[in-house]
């Protein structure tokens, strides 16, 4: 069973400036709900029981958003507003499920994952990148199903336009079925010439705890960061099974200002 989800939240959000100069991008609302809560709801619905938030000292407002009890208690005592009481209940539910770890230097997704090692209890866990919203069909649920069937690691994927491959981790595929395939190799942000396909990694991963040792062995890759993609590549080379789940839902890129604007419009039309 996959019960734990880790969520890297320490990024600076520079692609979203000026909106992110004071406010973490994950707390920006999309149609009345924070970006992060879409991610949490997907997890709850997929059976996740515990969240590990990787934050930084610059993003303590994320902690405050979920742990602001005195504020809520005072308001509720004064106003007895039903809506606020319901919202507070939801927050209390999340409180019991969230743990925090800190990544104060932006050293990449690999480094962020490594910070969670001491909290991971089971052999497999889920990771979600909050920039990537997937709506209409629960992608995490689909991936957990594929993991149960294959007993391997799973990465969410979809075809992207070939001219954009250098923005993504790209998968090399074998034994393609309708909704999934085995991953032969991965490469982080390749040039169009070097891309083995146009199946991109979208921010959902089911990883095994073997990933931690692999990250420890990594040398900094593109941009001087430790990339989770490179650790995955090494595990695949050592014959660990990874599968690409071609998800059915609609992908919304919330990591750029234009993407965020489009996401608001798309979610409105749901
Ligand atoms: C990260 C991953 C990349 C993946 C992408 C999905 O890149 O490194 O492999 O395709 O997320 O959003 P980033 O968005 O941090 O540049």
């Amino acid at each position: 069973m996959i019960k734990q989800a880790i969520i890297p939240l320490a990024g600076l959000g520079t692609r979203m400036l000026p909106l992110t100069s004071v406010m973490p991008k994950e707390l920006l609302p999309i149609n009345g709900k924070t970006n992060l809560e879409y991610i949490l709801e997907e997890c709850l619905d997929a059976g996740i029981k515990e969240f590990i938030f990787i934050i930084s000292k610059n993003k303590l407002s994320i902690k405050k958003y979920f742990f602001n009890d005195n504020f809520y208690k005072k308001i509720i005592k004064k106003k007895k507003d039903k809506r606020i009481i319901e919202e507070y209940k939801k927050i209390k539910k999340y409180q019991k499920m969230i743990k925090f770890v800190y990544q104060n230097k932006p050293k990449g997704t690999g480094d962020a994952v490594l910070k969670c090692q001491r909290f991971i209890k089971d052999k497999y866990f889920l990771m979600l990148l909050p920039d990537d919203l997937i709506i209409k069909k629960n992608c995490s649920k689909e991936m957990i199903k594929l993991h149960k069937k294959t007993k391997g690691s799973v990465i969410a994927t979809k075809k992207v336009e070939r001219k954009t491959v250098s923005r993504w981790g790209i998968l090399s595929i074998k034994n393609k079925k309708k909704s999934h395939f085995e991953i032969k190799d991965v490469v982080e942000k390749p040039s169009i010439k070097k891309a083995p396909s146009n199946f991109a990694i979208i921010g959902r991963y089911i990883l095994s705890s073997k990933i931690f040792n692999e990250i420890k062995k990594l040398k900094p890759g593109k941009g001087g960061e430790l990339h989770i993609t490179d650790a995955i590549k090494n595990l695949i080379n050592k014959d660990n099974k990874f599968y690409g789940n071609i998800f059915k839902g609609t992908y919304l890129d919330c990591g750029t200002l234009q993407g965020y604007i489009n996401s608001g419009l798309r979610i409105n039309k749901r």
Side-chain angles (χ1 to χ4, degrees), residues 4 41 52 97 109 114 116 119 144 165 169 178 195 199 219 227 249 263:
Q4 295 178 293
E41 283 174 8
I52 301 162
M97 304 175 76
T109 37
L114 194 53
C116 302
F119 286 116
I144 290 172
V165 287
K178 203 167 153 234
F199 274 102
K219 298 219 166 72
H227 293 285
S263 301

Side-chain angles (χ1 to χ4, degrees), residues 5-10 24-30 32-44 51-55 59-67 90-91 94 98-100 128-133 204 254 260 267:
I6 71 173
I7 308 178
L9 298 161
K25 62 181 172 184
E26 299 83 2
L27 294 184
L28 290 173
I30 303 172
K33 187 158 58 185
T34 63
N35 168 306
L36 184 52
E37 278 165 283
Y38 285 95
I39 298 280
L40 298 183
E41 283 174 8
E42 176 180 330
C43 289
L44 283 186
F51 299 106
I52 301 162
F53 284 6
I54 305 139
I55 60 170
K59 305 211 39 195
L60 288 172
S61 47
I62 294 179
K63 192 168 188 178
K64 183 142 190 205
Y65 185 84
F66 291 96
F67 289 81
K90 211 160 69 183
I91 297 258
Y94 284 135
I98 304 171
K99 291 199 164 89
F100 294 92
L128 303 96
L129 305 183
D131 279 3
D132 294 338
L133 287 193
R204 306 277 183 283
C254 292
Y260 172 66
I267 286 187

Side-chain angles (χ1 to χ4, degrees), residues 50-228:
E50 187 176 288
F51 299 106
I52 301 162
F53 284 6
I54 305 139
I55 60 170
S56 74
K57 56 179 187 299
N58 295 320
K59 305 211 39 195
L60 288 172
S61 47
I62 294 179
K63 192 168 188 178
K64 183 142 190 205
Y65 185 84
F66 291 96
F67 289 81
N68 209 359
D69 290 281
N70 287 343
F71 173 79
Y72 275 103
K73 280 179 187 157
K74 258 190 226 155
I75 302 271
I76 289 170
K77 202 171 166 191
K78 231 201 254 163
K79 291 201 167 173
K80 307 208 164 36
D81 182 315
K82 264 195 184 150
R83 191 190 70 82
I84 301 175
I85 294 171
E86 280 315 304
E87 291 296 337
Y88 182 48
K89 268 192 203 156
K90 211 160 69 183
I91 297 258
K92 289 294 283 179
K93 181 174 168 188
Y94 284 135
Q95 265 185 15
K96 292 195 192 104
M97 304 175 76
I98 304 171
K99 291 199 164 89
F100 294 92
V101 299
Y102 289 82
Q103 184 194 30
N104 286 324
K105 288 187 189 129
K107 290 200 279 187
T109 37
D111 179 64
V113 173
L114 194 53
K115 299 270 190 268
C116 302
Q117 182 173 15
R118 69 196 157 99
F119 286 116
I120 296 298
K121 295 179 211 137
D122 301 322
K123 187 147 181 255
Y124 286 90
F125 60 94
L126 176 67
M127 168 162 79
L128 303 96
L129 305 183
D131 279 3
D132 294 338
L133 287 193
I134 299 171
I135 57 166
K136 290 185 182 155
K137 275 264 172 198
N138 190 322
C139 179
S140 296
K141 223 177 188 171
E142 284 171 11
M143 290 169 67
I144 290 172
K145 205 169 150 197
L146 184 59
H147 162 73
K148 274 188 190 153
K149 193 167 132 188
T150 60
K151 309 271 180 285
S153 291
V154 180
I155 295 176
T157 185
K158 78 183 275 283
K159 267 190 183 171
V160 295
E161 281 186 69
R162 201 159 267 282
K163 61 175 190 227
T164 70
V165 287
S166 64
R167 188 251 173 267
W168 315 92
I170 296 291
L171 304 175
S172 163
I173 63 188
K174 75 176 178 200
N175 298 331
K176 190 174 166 304
K177 306 264 164 39
K178 203 167 153 234
S179 63
H180 67 275
F181 53 80
E182 217 181 303
I183 301 173
K184 205 163 70 180
D185 197 9
V186 280
V187 44
E188 181 66 11
K189 303 193 169 74
S191 62
I192 301 183
K193 256 191 178 167
K194 292 207 173 126
S197 78
N198 58 338
F199 274 102
I201 298 177
I202 306 298
R204 306 277 183 283
Y205 309 72
I206 291 177
L207 298 168
S208 92
S209 50
K210 282 188 189 171
I211 199 82
F212 299 121
N213 274 339
E214 225 41 70
I215 299 169
K216 284 177 198 161
K217 286 184 225 155
L218 280 184
K219 298 219 166 72
K222 284 218 164 103
E225 295 186 358
L226 293 180
H227 293 285
I228 196 64

